[in-house]
């Protein structure tokens, strides 16, 4: 690799006196030159694909339907192609832990006993500049085995276990829709996805190969096979740029949008030399259904989010099709999240919740998934037991082709097949959870414990989307109250007062509660539905 020319990227809106620690180690001239080249080559196509999303959404609004693509039927009908075989480090994925890349989580996730850690720069991480840079520092330090952490509250110290016991890292960069305003070329911000991918790949690709692993990624919020094609082009270019073999990068795509559910095979095909699997992401998937079919009438109105389990007919169609598709093409199928936070102070409630987690993971393993997600280290042995019981000594069950599965286009959007209705308490919960999550996000926290669950940005998205949908549809709850903007405002004001009473005036004033309240109401009630709440929220971040 030849020496790069000085990077034209400008670091903007960063006070030199308050720059994150060790920023210069990450933003080297060579690394910035690489990110700049990614930006020049691929951001124009990113922009075209974002515009294509808008056009497709307009078509869904017109038809209230989706179908498998006729123009790619030849890809689905061709039985011969498979994705590349999984590298050894990604062959057994029976338990994956997710979380942000802060220093404590980095250590705990790597030590957790999970096979994989989803190191998250996206939904579980608020993209403050300190988090963007700090996450890159923490991953390098972990690979160099020079990472430790002492909790300032408890004084407890954390350090890595022996290398052979550590989880394999799979990094999730930000979605295509988010820009990074702190890095700009000629006044144009670089997409956050290219910043997260570019800095991590440039600094760690060879380092990971030396450790017997590789640069592995989770690709979020993909909406079409054309977006997967763009990622594949980026991987090809990046591998050539740093001089490593094609196929070294491996990517797992989150099927967390309703449009992507109709293009699973095509997505794997576009990434076939770099693909390692697909994942079923529940909350973002439901958010995507509401977003795309929000004006589709009564039959698309979702009930309370907790009533939409993975056993709902349209969710079961989605997950079974995902397993069938992955195994047909030799890819891993990774199941959904167990977000419960164990509570040792209430053994009875704890065991009830753990029983639900076991049942969920037993179902996934029985359905043919090769692994699944958890949000807390204490859930790793629970999920592992479910998959151990099915897999035994095998690393996966890709030989289970699930040829019994037959899913129609209509099955995937049969929201009205679920026998449940929105409730007044569901509205209250959506306001409460949305407010509390957004408040923490604005303070730089992306993974937040709320009412016994580990929540991330997808939680806030489904919460505000359901509020929007219920108000727009004029839902009448079981208590006779109608979902209106005034009702939502009343509940939000009551929640703000309740929080103040709960935490006290001083803590309330130190937080971002009023901003969170106002932002939730904006993205939940504005007639012009915001594509992602993180877009207006990002303008409020440091």
């Amino acid at each position: 690799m030849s020496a790069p020319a000085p990077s034209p990227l400008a670091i903007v809106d960063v006070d030199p006196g308050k720059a994150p620690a060790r920023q210069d180690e990450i933003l080297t001239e060579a690394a910035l030159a690489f990110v700049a080249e990614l930006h020049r080559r691929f951001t124009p196509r990113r922009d075209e694909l974002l515009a294509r999303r808008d056009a497709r959404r307009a078509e869904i609004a017109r038809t209230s339907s989706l179908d498998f693509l006729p123009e790619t039927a030849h890809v689905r009908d061709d039985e011969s192609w498979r994705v590349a075989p999984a590298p050894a480090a990604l062959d057994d994925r029976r338990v994956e832990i997710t979380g942000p890349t802060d220093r404590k989580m980095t250590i705990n996730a790597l030590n957790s006993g999970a096979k994989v850690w989803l190191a998250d720069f996206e939904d579980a991480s608020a993209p403050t500049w300190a988090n963007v840079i700090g996450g890159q520092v923490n991953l390098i330090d972990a690979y160099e085995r020079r990472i430790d952490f002492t909790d300032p509250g408890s004084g407890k110290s954390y350090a890595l276990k022996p290398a052979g016991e550590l989880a394999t890292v799979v990094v999730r960069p930000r979605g295509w829709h988010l820009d990074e305003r702190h890095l700009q070329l000629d006044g144009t911000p670089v997409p956050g996805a290219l910043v997260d991918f570019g800095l991590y790949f440039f600094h760690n690709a060879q380092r990971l190969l030396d450790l017997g692993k590789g640069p592995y990624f989770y690709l979020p919020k993909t909406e079409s096979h054309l977006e997967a094609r763009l990622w594949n082009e980026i991987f090809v270019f990046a591998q050539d740029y740093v001089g490593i073999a094609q196929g070294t990068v491996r990517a797992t795509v989150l099927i967390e949008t309703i449009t992507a559910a109709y293009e699973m095979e095509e997505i794997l095909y576009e990434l076939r030399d770099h693909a390692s699997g697909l994942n079923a992401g529940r909350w973002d998937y439901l958010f995507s259904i509401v977003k795309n079919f929000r004006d589709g009438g009564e039959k698309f109105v979702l009930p309370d989010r907790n009533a939409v389990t993975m056993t709902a007919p349209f969710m079961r169609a989605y997950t079974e099709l995902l397993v069938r598709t992955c195994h047909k093409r030799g890819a891993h199928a990774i199941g959904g999240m167990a977000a419960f936070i164990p509570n040792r102070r209430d053994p009875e409630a704890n065991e009830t919740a753990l029983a639900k987690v076991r049942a969920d993971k037993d179902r996934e393993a029985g359905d043919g998934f090769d692994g699944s997600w958890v949000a807390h280290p204490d859930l790793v042995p629970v999920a592992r037991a479910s998959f151990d019981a099915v897999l035994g000594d095998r690393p996966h069950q890709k030989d289970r082709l699930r040829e019994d599965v037959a899913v129609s286009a209509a099955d995937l959007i049969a929201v009205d097949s679920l026998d449940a209705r929105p409730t007044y308490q569901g509205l209250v919960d959506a306001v409460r959870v949305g407010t509390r999550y957004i408040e923490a996000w604005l303070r730089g926290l992306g993974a937040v414990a709320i009412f016994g669950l580990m929540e991330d940005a997808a939680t806030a998205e489904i919460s505000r989307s359901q509020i929007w949908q219920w108000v727009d549809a004029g839902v009448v709850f079981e208590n006779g109250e109608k979902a209106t903007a005034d009702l939502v405002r009343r509940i939000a004001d009551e929640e703000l007062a309740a929080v103040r009473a709960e935490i006290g005036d001083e803590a309330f004033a130190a937080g971002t509660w009023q901003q969170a309240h106002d932002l939730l109401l904006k993205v939940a009630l504005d007639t012009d539905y915001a594509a992602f709440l993180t877009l207006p929220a990002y303008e409020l971040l440091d």
Side-chain angles (χ1 to χ4, degrees), residues 30 43 91 131 137 233 236 238 245 258 277 291 293 313 322 328 339 345-346 351 361 394 451 467 488:
T43 296
D91 203 31
N131 287 345
V137 168
E233 291 169 356
V236 170
I258 185 62
K291 177 165 65 173
F293 290 92
L322 189 146
K328 176 182 178 182
R345 290 174 293 183
D346 189 342
E351 183 49 44
K361 300 310 172 189
R394 297 178 299 157
F451 305 137
I467 297 168
V488 173

Side-chain angles (χ1 to χ4, degrees), residues 418-461:
L418 183 60
D419 186 20
R421 291 279 303 160
T423 69
Y424 179 80
Q425 187 59 47
L427 177 64
V428 172
D429 291 344
V431 171
R432 297 184 72 200
V433 172
T435 301
R436 290 169 187 249
Y437 180 82
I438 293 171
E439 192 279 333
W441 195 92
L442 293 175
R443 288 186 288 111
L445 301 175
V448 187
I450 302 175
F451 305 137
L453 295 176
M454 188 62 73
E455 308 284 19
D456 66 14
T459 301
E461 291 286 24

Side-chain angles (χ1 to χ4, degrees), residues 163-181:
E165 301 178 22
L166 301 182
T168 293
V169 175
V170 180
V171 165
R172 178 161 67 169
R174 280 168 282 181
W176 280 129
H177 60 287
L178 283 167
D179 288 333
E180 176 51 69
R181 72 172 185 267

Side-chain angles (χ1 to χ4, degrees), residues 129-330:
W129 188 236
N131 287 345
V132 170
I133 297 299
Q136 298 284 347
V137 168
N138 293 334
L139 290 169
I140 292 173
D141 282 354
Y143 299 145
E144 295 292 326
R145 301 196 64 82
R146 60 190 186 205
I147 190 170
D148 55 27
F149 177 78
T150 300
D151 191 308
S154 66
K156 183 178 179 180
S157 295
Y158 300 82
L160 291 181
K161 294 178 180 178
E165 301 178 22
L166 301 182
T168 293
V169 175
V170 180
V171 165
R172 178 161 67 169
R174 280 168 282 181
W176 280 129
H177 60 287
L178 283 167
D179 288 333
E180 176 51 69
R181 72 172 185 267
H182 298 95
L183 284 180
Q184 297 185 6
L185 178 61
D186 298 329
T188 302
V190 180
L194 296 182
V195 173
D196 299 337
F197 165 80
L199 294 175
Y200 178 75
F201 179 87
F202 185 84
H203 287 297
N204 296 294
Q206 188 57 56
R207 179 182 279 116
L208 286 160
L209 288 173
D210 294 342
L211 293 172
K213 297 188 177 182
Y216 307 139
F217 298 92
Y218 258 108
L219 305 182
K221 294 180 175 59
T222 300
E223 296 201 14
S224 74
H225 70 286
L226 298 179
E227 295 179 17
R229 180 182 298 172
L230 176 59
W231 270 117
N232 196 71
E233 291 169 356
I234 290 167
F235 297 155
V236 170
F237 169 77
Q239 289 164 129
D240 281 348
Y241 188 97
V242 302
I244 62 176
Q246 290 296 325
T248 301
V249 171
R250 292 305 168 91
T252 305
V253 180
L254 291 112
I255 302 300
E256 55 185 354
T257 67
I258 185 62
T259 52
Y262 287 85
E263 300 182 37
M264 293 188 207
E265 287 195 75
E266 293 92 330
I267 286 168
L268 286 176
Y269 180 80
E270 295 293 345
L271 286 159
R272 59 195 180 279
D273 295 331
H274 300 104
S276 59
L278 303 177
N279 167 271
R282 176 181 173 190
W283 295 134
D284 265 317
Y285 189 73
L286 293 176
F287 157 53
S288 177
I289 291 175
V290 174
K291 177 165 65 173
N292 281 286
F293 290 92
R294 62 185 182 269
D295 40 19
E298 176 69 20
K299 69 177 183 177
F300 289 106
V301 173
L302 283 172
D304 303 0
R305 71 164 179 145
N306 290 329
V308 189
T309 69
M310 298 304 268
T311 60
F314 70 100
M315 295 298 282
R316 191 135 181 84
Y318 150 61
T319 57
E320 293 205 313
L321 180 61
L322 189 146
V323 173
R324 169 77 178 102
T325 300
C326 286
H327 290 182
K328 176 182 178 182
R329 302 305 183 180

Side-chain angles (χ1 to χ4, degrees), residues 332-352:
H332 283 77
I334 308 299
M337 171 69 77
F340 168 64
I341 302 173
N343 181 359
R344 298 181 181 88
R345 290 174 293 183
D346 189 342
E348 184 176 345
N350 198 58
E351 183 49 44
T352 298

Side-chain angles (χ1 to χ4, degrees), residues 93 112 114 144 152 241 287 328 357 367 420 465 474 535:
R93 304 178 63 172
S112 66
E144 295 292 326
Y241 188 97
F287 157 53
K328 176 182 178 182
V357 173
D367 282 349
S465 296
L535 293 173

Side-chain angles (χ1 to χ4, degrees), residues 345-456:
R345 290 174 293 183
D346 189 342
E348 184 176 345
N350 198 58
E351 183 49 44
T352 298
L354 285 175
K356 292 180 180 179
V357 173
R358 289 189 198 98
D360 191 49
K361 300 310 172 189
D362 286 349
R363 175 191 54 78
E364 288 182 326
D367 282 349
F369 281 98
D370 304 294
S372 190
W373 282 5
V374 299
H376 192 281
D378 286 357
L379 299 182
V380 170
V382 178
R384 186 171 58 226
S386 295
F387 282 88
D388 285 350
V390 171
L391 297 179
D393 294 333
R394 297 178 299 157
H396 51 71
Q397 51 181 331
K398 289 189 282 190
D399 57 332
R400 278 196 68 193
L401 297 180
R402 291 306 312 270
E403 292 176 333
D404 57 304
V405 171
V407 173
S408 71
D411 292 337
L412 291 170
I413 51 174
V415 173
D416 56 352
S417 64
L418 183 60
D419 186 20
R421 291 279 303 160
T423 69
Y424 179 80
Q425 187 59 47
L427 177 64
V428 172
D429 291 344
V431 171
R432 297 184 72 200
V433 172
T435 301
R436 290 169 187 249
Y437 180 82
I438 293 171
E439 192 279 333
W441 195 92
L442 293 175
R443 288 186 288 111
L445 301 175
V448 187
I450 302 175
F451 305 137
L453 295 176
M454 188 62 73
E455 308 284 19
D456 66 14

